[in-house]
Amino acid sequence: ELFGRVDAISGEWADGAFTAMWRRANSEGKRHTWLVLDGPVEPEWVEDLNSVMDDNMLLTLPSSERLPMLRPNVTLALESADLAHASPATVSRVAVVFVDEAAIGWQASAGALLHRLVSSAQVAWSVEEMLAELLERALELVQTDCAPMVALRVESVAQMLVSLFAAQLGRLDSVEDADEDAVERFFVSALVIAVGGVLDAGDRAKFDAFLRNDLRPELLPPNETGTTVFDFALTVTARWQPLAQLLPEWQPPSGLTQPELAEAFPAMVVPTPETVRVEGLLALCVEARRSPLLVGGAGTGKTTLALAHAADA
């Protein structure tokens, strides 16, 4: 699948994914291309690249074909957490650049993404301050006092939060239309999704209490009995609105026979505040160009909600 194979019946060669990209990159002489292999370095495949990384700079295929590397237009990079399984032959052929996670931190990548997505430097600086003040403490709460459905890494959460914030801000006609309170509400909404989105109903109350202890009341929804910040959605104009008020009107299909109704029943989605929340999050993730992950037991509606959103997109 990576380099290609010879068909056992016809004897014809079929390029794999890497070989196809290699041919394309090395056929475009006017463009600079980086081929990045991201993941564990395993001898099963990386040994076949040794001839690429030495002075020959040739990709030798099992079909005996040799494809030269067009330097300096094409560069091959391996991005891996470690070289634990790489052979000395491979290590001796590459230039190793070690990136220390502790030295760089998540602020650098999140800040770079923020300034790229948000045109207003003042807004970006304001968000950077809120990130530094709240993100790590919110993650600590989730990881120590709650039972998150999936593990979180601060680097990934920071980039997700920035992307969701920028997507909400982008719904305005102009960044200048957002005052300071609106910017902070957009940030709080993104924080609730990016960090609190992995919590079940029992832990959401803890996250809600954390926010209310640290933020000004006007930045949060009304503190009504039996509700949390997860029971509200932020409108385009940065106003909190109860999810119950956003329920679309729904009527069961009429004029169907009993067999037809039984066939249509599995695809029916009866709107609830939770389905409205998930559908809104899916739409926001699409706008932010971030891939959502729906987590839940069998029969909770993950596939149905995803298909319904795709049908409406």
Side-chain angles (χ1 to χ4, degrees):
E1 294 181 1
L2 191 60
F3 294 106
R5 62 183 180 88
V6 177
D7 188 274
I9 299 177
S10 66
E12 294 183 355
W13 170 259
D15 282 346
F18 179 81
T19 303
M21 290 188 294
W22 183 267
R23 288 187 192 276
R24 179 178 177 181
N26 287 283
S27 65
E28 300 177 356
K30 297 182 180 180
R31 176 181 296 181
H32 290 274
T33 303
W34 282 70
L35 297 176
V36 182
L37 301 179
D38 183 5
V41 175
E42 300 290 349
E44 288 79 3
W45 59 267
V46 77
E47 294 293 333
D48 293 327
L49 296 178
N50 283 346
S51 60
V52 173
M53 296 184 287
D54 62 18
D55 294 338
N56 296 318
M57 290 185 288
L58 291 171
L59 176 63
T60 304
L61 301 176
S63 62
S64 300
E65 184 180 6
R66 293 187 172 188
L67 303 177
M69 186 179 191
L70 185 63
R71 290 288 296 160
N73 299 72
V74 178
T75 302
L76 176 66
L78 308 179
E79 184 176 348
S80 178
D82 57 56
L83 296 174
H85 302 290
S87 68
T90 298
V91 175
S92 65
R93 285 173 165 82
V94 298
V96 178
V97 179
F98 175 67
V99 181
D100 189 352
E101 179 181 351
I104 293 182
W106 58 268
Q107 293 91 340
S109 59
L113 179 63
L114 181 62
H115 285 276
R116 181 165 61 86
L117 297 179
V118 177
S119 58
S120 170
Q122 182 177 355
V123 171
W125 291 330
S126 176
V127 173
E128 281 189 285
E129 290 179 359
M130 289 185 286
L131 275 170
E133 180 182 350
L134 284 173
L135 180 56
E136 289 186 343
R137 291 195 293 116
L139 271 176
E140 183 181 3
L141 170 78
V142 169
Q143 293 169 342
T144 58
D145 294 345
C146 304
M149 297 297 177
V150 295
L152 296 178
R153 285 180 56 88
V154 63
E155 296 84 3
S156 301
V157 172
Q159 295 212 13
M160 171 63 82
L161 196 159
V162 167
S163 298
L164 295 176
F165 168 82
Q168 292 179 98
L169 194 67
R171 292 173 173 176
L172 301 176
D173 294 332
S174 172
V175 177
E176 284 68 27
D177 293 340
D179 58 22
E180 183 178 351
D181 280 357
V183 169
E184 293 186 16
R185 288 194 193 101
F186 285 141
F187 176 85
V188 171
S189 174
L191 180 69
V192 170
I193 300 169
V195 181
V198 296
L199 302 178
D200 61 13
D203 286 330
R204 290 177 184 177
K206 298 178 183 177
F207 196 81
D208 180 81
F210 164 79
L211 294 177
R212 296 191 185 279
N213 287 334
D214 281 70
L215 299 175
R216 292 181 286 123
E218 55 267 28
L219 300 181
L220 297 168
N223 190 10
E224 301 173 354
T225 303
T227 65
T228 67
V229 67
F230 294 90
D231 298 308
F232 294 79
L234 203 63
T235 65
V236 175
T237 55
R239 296 291 181 268
W240 293 104
Q241 188 170 4
L243 292 173
Q245 296 181 6
L246 300 175
L247 289 176
E249 187 174 342
W250 184 83
Q251 293 291 337
S254 59
L256 298 180
T257 64
Q258 193 68 25
E260 291 172 336
L261 185 62
E263 182 179 353
F265 181 78
M268 293 182 190
V269 179
V270 180
T272 66
E274 188 64 17
T275 63
V276 171
R277 188 178 76 88
V278 173
E279 289 169 356
L281 296 185
L282 290 175
L284 184 59
C285 286
V286 170
E287 292 179 40
R289 297 188 176 185
R290 287 285 175 172
S291 301
L293 173 65
L294 300 181
V295 180
T300 53
K302 302 183 298 296
T303 302
T304 302
L305 288 171
L307 291 177
H309 175 75
D312 294 337

